[in-house]
Amino acid sequence: IGRAEELNGSKTFDWGSIASGATAQTTVTVTGAGVDDFAVASMSVSHSDMVFLAQVTAANTVTVTAWNRGAGAVDLASGTLYARVLVR
């Protein structure tokens, strides 16, 4: 079994305030990504109570969903949003 190819993308992003239990979405360009590939996301800033979900939703596009699983609103500082895709 060979090593999977990894593709990366990033952008500076400010999520704004996300209420308890709420979600917000944005996209990151990852050149070469396809809808059948695996994706993960992370932020460069502290993000306690936040979960980031990633999905390749179109060619070269990863949609990242931020979910606030905490008891109060979260307002993340502006930072770098990273998306990594593992090509199937």
Side-chain angles (χ1 to χ4, degrees):
I1 298 175
R3 180 181 163 111
E5 180 183 3
E6 295 180 1
L7 306 171
N8 296 287
S10 64
K11 73 177 186 179
T12 301
F13 193 71
D14 186 344
W15 290 95
S17 183
I18 302 173
S20 175
T23 62
Q25 289 186 324
T26 190
T27 59
V28 178
T29 299
V30 180
T31 302
V35 294
D36 60 343
D37 295 333
F38 300 96
V40 294
S42 66
M43 278 294 290
S44 66
V45 297
S46 177
H47 50 77
S48 181
D49 291 333
M50 298 298 296
V51 174
F52 296 97
L53 307 169
Q55 179 181 6
V56 181
T57 52
N60 306 315
T61 304
V62 173
T63 297
V64 178
T65 302
W67 170 44
N68 178 359
R69 61 184 180 86
V74 173
D75 191 350
L76 296 175
S78 179
T80 304
L81 175 60
Y82 299 99
R84 175 169 287 169
V85 172
L86 300 175
V87 177
R88 285 177 45 105

